[in-house]
């Protein structure tokens, strides 16, 4: 090869690199299209639209991350520990200096549905825009009206994220978005009825159920964003909890629940199978109980249409009676009788819908034992239904039972009454004790809400 | 709803999920049953439902409609309960006394079901907390009742 040919080849290569770099630079900083781009901000909207937006904010549970309990609503500040460092939820009130008061409807749309700020910066997908992408134009318009006119603007500066350079570069997120998100709003399925489509819309879009209930891949991407994927809502381990399957799996999912059970669970926080706990308590307290009966019915209808997977879920649970008394000698049985049976019953069946049964409970049937361990160590959070705090709560046994005692009692629960979740190791209890300890220096990696 | 407590029928007006303890103490004024923790942890609120000991603070009242409830006020109407109380007096078990109505109910339930409990059975059944540390006196009193029943 002559010198000049080499130079030409190198030159072409360099040019190619430059072009790729330029395209890449455009791609990762470009502002996505918005159907609202050409619209000037209009006069104050119809109060009905603001009200509608408030309901959409309930469906989306915006308050879960964008508020702290003791601060003004929607002023952000919630700390989320990610593997790279902590990030903080932002102020989304209409304050012009520190909130989103200067956002146009199109800016708002790009942030909510595409995770892009007005200056082209990419949001971390802790903001569930991969789900919110499915919101309809109408709901975006209503949500915008609510945040602009229905929430008091409050000045509260955002906290900078604590992710160090170069990991804090945002542009690679655009590539992640290209691979793992679908920017189109929810497309109604013509072969399904209106109720099913409404349920699918809420579950996949504003409800962002998949953020917790869909297993994640290596890039921390949800493995499916709709029922087109068999792993969509198939249950995921996150945040020290196992978010169960929401498909028709009889053991780890909703296979034994009917539509009325699902509605009751989301509306009252409880039914004959289970009571909300873990991260679901917040979703219930702030979001699902405010949904209309019609929407809850639609959610239930849609979820019951998702088939289970026996190869993942295993043989269906059947109740098996078990003679149990204070003198039972199986390891863990004595602890169960003295600590657990008063509420959950010697027969493991709980008390109506007030105390959840452990016989047939997901936490006692799933291979993943995180939820069983976590609730035993840390107890349940307060459930507030229709403004009234619940009468009964799971106490925390962190200070009362050792790792071994917890492992034994949970192994007992997970192998009695037909439960087949399997044994729990004391080591696993110790690990979660450390991760969820109030003074832990090594906390749960991502607080997902 | 109607509740059968100490052989008496009471008409109570309470939500289905109200803890039995609230109804017993606040609505019916039977204050011998104590509130300790409200979380099924201490046993101060123990009562008998159909002869078995339950913790009233975690018993939704709707679940005990139609069942026979016994509180400390009427425990001596039961033959075993009467012997338990006598043994408690003889051994001077109570210190501050706060946990004792629950302890008596637990002991009565144990001895009705298992008239001659072994040490292990006593340890397994008598799990109510006592801040005053009367555990040894409780064991002695329970043994006493068991032995007396043997001779009777
Ligand atoms: S008050 Fe019921 S167990 Fe403590
Ligand atoms: S006698 Fe005082 S708490 Fe038991």
């Amino acid at each position: 090869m002559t010198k000049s040919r080499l130079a030409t080849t190198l030159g072409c290569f360099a040019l190619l690199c430059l072009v790729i770099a330029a395209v890449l630079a455009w791609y990762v900083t470009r502002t996505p299209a918005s159907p609202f781009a050409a619209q000037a901000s209009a006069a104050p909207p119809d109060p009905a639209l603001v009200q509608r937006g408030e309901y959409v904010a309930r469906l989306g549970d915006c308050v879960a991350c964008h508020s702290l309990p003791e601060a003004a609503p929607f002023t952000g500040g919630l700390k989320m520990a990610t593997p790279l460092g902590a990030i903080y939820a932002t102020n989304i009130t209409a304050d012009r200096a520190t909130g989103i008061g200067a956002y146009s409807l199109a800016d708002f749309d790009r942030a909510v549905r595409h995770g892009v700020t007005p200056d082209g910066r990419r949001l971390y997908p802790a903001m569930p825009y991969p789900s919110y992408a499915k919101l309809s134009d109408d709901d975006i318009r209503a949500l915008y009206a609510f945040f602009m006119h229905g929430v008091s603007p409050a000045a509260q500066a955002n906290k900078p994220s604590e992710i160090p350079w170069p990991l804090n570069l945002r542009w690679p997120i655009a590539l992640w978005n290209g691979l793992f998100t679908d920017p189109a709003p929810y497309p109604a399925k013509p072969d399904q009825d209106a109720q099913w489509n409404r349920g699918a819309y809420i579950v996949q879009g504003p409800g962002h159920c998949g953020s917790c209930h869909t297993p994640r891949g290596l890039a921390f991407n949800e493995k499916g964003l709709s029922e087109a994927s068999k792993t969509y809502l198939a249950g995921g381990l996150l945040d020290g909890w196992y978010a169960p399957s929401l498909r028709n799996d009889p053991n780890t999912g909703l296979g034994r629940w009917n539509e009325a059970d699902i509605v009751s669970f989301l509306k009252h926080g409880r039914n004959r199978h289970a009571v909300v706990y873990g991260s679901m308590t917040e979703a219930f307290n702030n979001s699902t109980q405010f949904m209309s009966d019609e929407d809850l019915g639609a959610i239930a209808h849609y979820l019951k249409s998702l088939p289970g997977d026996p190869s993942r879920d295993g043989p269906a649970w059947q109740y098996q009676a078990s003679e149990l008394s204070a003198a039972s000698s199986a390891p863990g049985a004595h602890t169960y009788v003295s600590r657990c049976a008063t509420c959950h019953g010697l027969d493991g069946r709980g008390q109506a819908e007030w105390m959840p049964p452990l016989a047939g409970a997901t936490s006692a049937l799933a291979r993943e034992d995180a939820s069983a361990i976590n609730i035993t160590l840390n107890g349940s959070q307060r459930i507030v239904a229709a403004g009234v705090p619940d009468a009964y709560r799971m106490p925390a046994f962190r200070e009362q039972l050792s790792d071994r005692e917890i492992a034994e009692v949970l192994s007992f629960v997970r192998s009695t009454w037909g439960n087949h979740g399997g044994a729990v190791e004391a080591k696993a209890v110790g690990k979660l004790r450390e991760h969820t300890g109030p003074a832990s220096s090594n906390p749960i990696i991502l607080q997902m809400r | 709803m109607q509740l059968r407590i100490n052989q008496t029928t009471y008409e109570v007006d309470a939500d289905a999920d109200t803890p039995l303890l609230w109804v017993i103490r606040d609505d019916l004024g039977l204050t011998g049953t104590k509130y300790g923790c409200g979380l099924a942890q201490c046993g101060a609120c123990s009562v008998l439902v159909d002869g078995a000991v339950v913790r009233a603070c975690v018993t939704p009242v709707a679940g005990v409609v139609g069942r026979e409830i016994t509180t400390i006020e009427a425990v001596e109407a039961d033959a075993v309960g009467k012997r338990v109380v006598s043994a408690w007096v003889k051994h001077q078990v109570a210190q501050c006394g706060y946990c004792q109505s629950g302890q008596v109910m637990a002991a009565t339930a144990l001895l009705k079901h298992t008239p001659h409990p072994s040490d292990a059975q006593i340890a397994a059944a008598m799990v109510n907390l006592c801040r005053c540390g009367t555990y040894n006196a409780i064991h002695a009193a329970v043994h006493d009742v068991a032995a007396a029943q043997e001779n009777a």
Side-chain angles (χ1 to χ4, degrees):
Chain A
M1 196 186 291
T2 66
K3 242 182 172 177
S4 72
R5 271 185 66 191
L6 181 69
T8 317
T9 314
L10 279 180
C12 287
F13 184 68
L15 195 68
L16 190 69
C17 288
L18 212 66
V19 170
I20 291 175
V23 170
L24 191 71
W26 167 81
Y27 182 79
V28 299
T29 54
R30 107 207 121 94
T31 322
S34 167
F36 307 111
Q39 298 179 13
S41 41
D46 178 359
L49 187 69
V50 176
Q51 212 184 354
R52 167 88 203 139
E54 179 170 9
Y55 184 71
V56 177
R58 284 294 191 190
L59 294 181
D61 201 5
C62 310
V63 77
C65 291
H66 287 284
S67 290
L68 289 178
E70 63 286 359
F74 299 112
T75 49
L78 181 78
K79 180 176 182 173
M80 300 185 220
T82 79
L84 309 179
I87 58 178
Y88 294 87
T90 52
N91 182 344
I92 53 167
T93 70
D95 183 63
R96 287 191 80 83
T98 62
I100 59 169
Y103 277 38
S104 68
L105 174 55
D107 291 337
F108 180 79
D109 174 30
R110 290 189 190 100
V112 173
R113 289 200 289 199
H114 306 291
V116 179
T117 63
D119 57 11
R121 211 161 40 100
R122 264 56 187 170
L123 300 178
Y124 290 108
M127 163 78 175
Y129 60 83
S131 301
Y132 292 166
K134 304 208 175 180
L135 281 164
S136 68
D137 290 358
D138 282 350
D139 278 352
I140 287 290
R141 201 177 291 114
L143 201 56
Y144 179 71
F146 170 63
F147 280 111
M148 291 302 144
H149 302 279
V151 177
S152 317
Q156 174 67 55
N158 290 326
K159 286 202 191 123
S161 82
E162 290 164 10
I163 299 177
W165 190 88
L167 297 172
N168 65 353
L169 291 174
R170 303 284 190 113
W171 61 264
I173 299 172
L175 303 177
W176 188 93
N177 291 345
L179 286 173
F180 301 120
T181 66
D182 174 2
Y186 174 77
K189 285 204 157 175
D191 54 331
Q192 298 285 355
D193 61 20
Q195 190 190 28
W196 188 96
N197 273 303
R198 176 68 183 161
Y201 172 71
I202 298 172
V203 168
Q204 296 173 25
H208 66 287
C209 308
S211 293
C212 292
H213 292 277
T214 299
R216 288 178 184 259
L218 281 179
F220 220 65
N221 54 302
E222 290 164 48
K223 283 186 176 165
L225 293 168
S226 79
E227 69 287 335
S229 158
K230 267 179 75 172
T231 47
Y232 181 59
L233 301 178
L237 198 56
L238 195 74
D239 200 10
W241 297 100
Y242 169 68
S245 162
L246 301 183
R247 305 178 69 95
N248 269 294
D249 298 302
N251 298 315
T252 58
L254 304 179
R256 282 179 280 123
W257 296 28
N258 60 29
E259 291 185 20
D261 290 332
I262 298 175
V263 170
S264 162
F265 188 76
L266 298 174
K267 189 179 170 71
H268 305 296
R270 52 186 73 243
N271 63 23
R272 63 201 165 107
H273 303 286
V275 175
V276 295
Y277 69 103
S279 324
M280 193 64 197
T281 308
E282 296 190 52
F284 169 78
N285 283 350
N286 296 319
S287 175
T288 65
Q289 67 173 308
F290 297 98
M291 296 179 186
S292 70
D293 290 355
E294 215 184 339
D295 279 351
L296 292 175
I299 291 172
H301 184 61
Y302 170 68
L303 292 178
K304 285 304 283 181
S305 77
L306 305 176
D309 177 358
S311 71
R312 169 169 44 73
D313 194 52
W317 171 82
Q318 288 278 347
Y319 184 74
Q320 278 162 30
S322 161
E323 273 301 314
L324 203 56
S325 77
S328 299
S329 59
H334 173 59
T335 306
Y336 182 82
V337 172
S338 58
R339 306 284 188 152
C340 320
T342 13
C343 293
H344 297 289
L346 283 173
D347 58 3
R349 289 194 186 268
Q351 299 182 51
E353 73 267 47
W354 310 114
M355 312 284 179
L358 299 182
T362 305
S363 61
L365 290 168
R367 255 190 311 278
E368 293 80 356
D369 52 17
S371 288
I373 298 173
N374 205 335
I375 186 85
T376 310
L377 279 171
N378 301 311
S380 61
Q381 290 166 277
R382 172 138 290 164
I383 302 170
V384 184
V388 182
D390 56 345
Y392 307 105
R393 287 171 80 189
M394 172 78 178
F397 287 94
R398 168 179 290 275
E399 308 290 340
Q400 301 182 40
L401 298 176
S402 68
D403 292 349
R404 193 178 51 81
E405 286 169 315
I406 291 181
E408 280 176 359
V409 73
L410 292 179
S411 297
F412 169 79
V413 166
R414 286 163 57 91
S415 61
T416 309
W417 311 298
N419 290 344
H420 49 70
V424 171
E425 302 277 334
K427 267 216 311 257
V429 180
K431 224 166 126 192
L432 211 56
R433 183 191 290 274
E434 149 81 3
H435 279 322
T436 59
S440 170
S441 55
N442 185 13
I444 288 292
I445 56 162
L446 181 72
Q447 184 77 32
M448 185 63 65
R449 296 200 176 174
Chain B
M1 66 185 80
Q2 289 194 336
L3 291 185
R4 281 285 292 168
I5 302 177
N6 302 337
Q7 315 285 337
T8 309
T9 302
Y10 294 92
E11 185 63 44
V12 299
D13 175 24
D15 289 340
D17 65 330
T18 308
L20 174 61
L21 180 61
W22 292 179
V23 175
I24 291 176
R25 286 183 56 88
D26 297 1
D27 296 351
L28 306 180
L30 298 168
T31 51
T33 307
K34 300 299 185 221
Y35 167 64
C37 63
L39 282 168
Q41 304 263 281
C42 70
C45 64
S46 300
V47 300
L48 303 187
V49 174
D50 293 339
V53 67
V54 307
R55 295 185 168 179
C57 68
V58 290
T59 303
V61 70
V64 293
V65 171
R67 301 172 70 184
E68 204 58 56
I69 299 160
T70 309
T71 70
I72 188 71
E73 282 85 352
V75 76
E76 285 181 278
D78 179 273
V80 176
K82 193 169 172 66
R83 282 205 290 278
V84 169
V85 173
S86 315
W88 244 247
V89 173
K90 178 176 154 203
H91 287 267
Q92 291 291 293
V93 175
Q95 291 297 313
C96 80
Y98 198 81
C99 72
Q100 294 299 336
S101 70
Q103 305 284 7
V104 167
M105 300 317 279
T108 304
L110 167 68
L111 290 161
K112 279 168 82 79
H113 189 260
T114 314
H116 307 295
S118 64
D119 274 337
Q121 284 172 317
I122 297 176
M126 300 299 292
V127 290
N128 289 3
L129 301 184
C130 172
R131 287 184 309 173
C132 301
T134 63
Y135 302 108
N136 292 340
I138 289 172
H139 273 238
V142 172
H143 270 304
D144 212 359
V145 180
Q149 291 191 133
E150 210 153 7
N151 301 334

